[in-house]
Every structure is written in structure tokens, then in C-alpha cells.
Amino acid sequence: QVQLVESGGGLVQPGGSLTVSCVISGFTLDQYSIGWFRQAPGRGREWVSCITTIDARTFYVDSVKGRFTISRDSTKNTVLLQMNSLKPEDTGVYSCAATAICDAYNGHSQVEYALWGQGTQVTVSS
């Protein structure tokens, strides 16, 4: 059964850090690239980052560059999103998803992703 399960969300103060996880079953990280998206209340889903299959190249939306780091652990079939220097505007439901291609021009839109997790809530507030 194909499944992506996110965890690790929570409430954190501005400037704080949080790591969210995406545990994958039913396929391996060598088969699909994985992306992270977020959706703030009343707004559309925004692409945050993605990591490629074989060589684990990473890509980020400009607003999180230098603050967020995506990584993967192939032994655990897990993708992590480490978030530092969090801001209130980072608040949202964070979801992971699988796509065929992630590079500088592809894998940045939700329409390119076919398999989704249920999401985990991240709230940045004092």
C-alpha cells in the first residue's frame, strides 16, 4: 500500500526550529522525488522544497532558502524538512508528496504530484 505519513508539526515561537518528517511506504526514494508543500489558512497550497531520487539534489522556494533544509534517509525511507529561524508566515499545514521529476524548473507545482500525505500542522506564534 502506497502511503506518505507526515509528523513532527507543532507550535513554535518565532525564531525557533522544528523538523517535520515524511515516512514513505509502498515505494522507495529511488523511484520518486519528494516535495514539501504548505498551505496557510485561506490560501492556496505553496511549494516549499523538493529532493531528487538518485543524487538527492535539493531545491527551495526563495522565501525559505537559507532557513530550511530538506534531506532524506534511504534506510528509513524517510524525508525530513528541518526548519530554522521560523517566522509567523511559515505557519500552515505541511504536506509531503511524490513526483517523477524535481529540478530547477519541475516539481514546483502541486499538479505535478500524484501521491500525497495527510499533512501536519506547523504554527509559528508567540
Side-chain angles (χ1 to χ4, degrees):
Q1 180 182 1
V2 174
Q3 211 170 9
L4 296 88
V5 179
E6 302 93 335
S7 63
L11 173 64
V12 62
Q13 292 187 341
S17 298
L18 200 64
T19 298
V20 291
S21 302
C22 174
V23 178
I24 296 155
S25 57
F27 65 93
T28 69
L29 293 175
D30 289 338
Q31 294 177 285
Y32 290 98
S33 297
I34 301 298
W36 280 99
F37 287 77
R38 64 187 179 189
Q39 186 167 18
R43 302 188 66 177
R45 189 175 278 166
E46 176 190 30
W47 173 76
V48 175
S49 178
C50 63
I51 187 165
T52 63
T53 52
I54 303 300
D55 54 4
R57 287 180 297 149
T58 59
F59 302 89
Y60 302 92
V61 67
D62 286 347
S63 61
V64 307
K65 284 181 181 176
R67 300 189 298 124
F68 289 14
T69 302
I70 189 172
S71 63
R72 66 180 202 177
D73 184 341
S74 296
T75 64
K76 298 180 179 178
N77 224 29
T78 297
V79 174
L80 303 176
L81 184 68
Q82 181 180 349
M83 303 179 288
N84 298 325
S85 302
L86 283 162
K87 305 175 182 179
E89 52 263 43
D90 294 318
T91 294
V93 175
Y94 282 69
S95 301
C96 60
T99 185
I101 300 174
C102 157
D103 59 28
Y105 306 102
N106 300 285
H108 302 186
S109 170
Q110 60 178 326
V111 298
E112 299 175 80
Y113 290 77
L115 305 169
W116 291 83
Q118 83 291 344
T120 185
Q121 176 70 45
V122 173
T123 303
V124 185
S125 175
S126 55

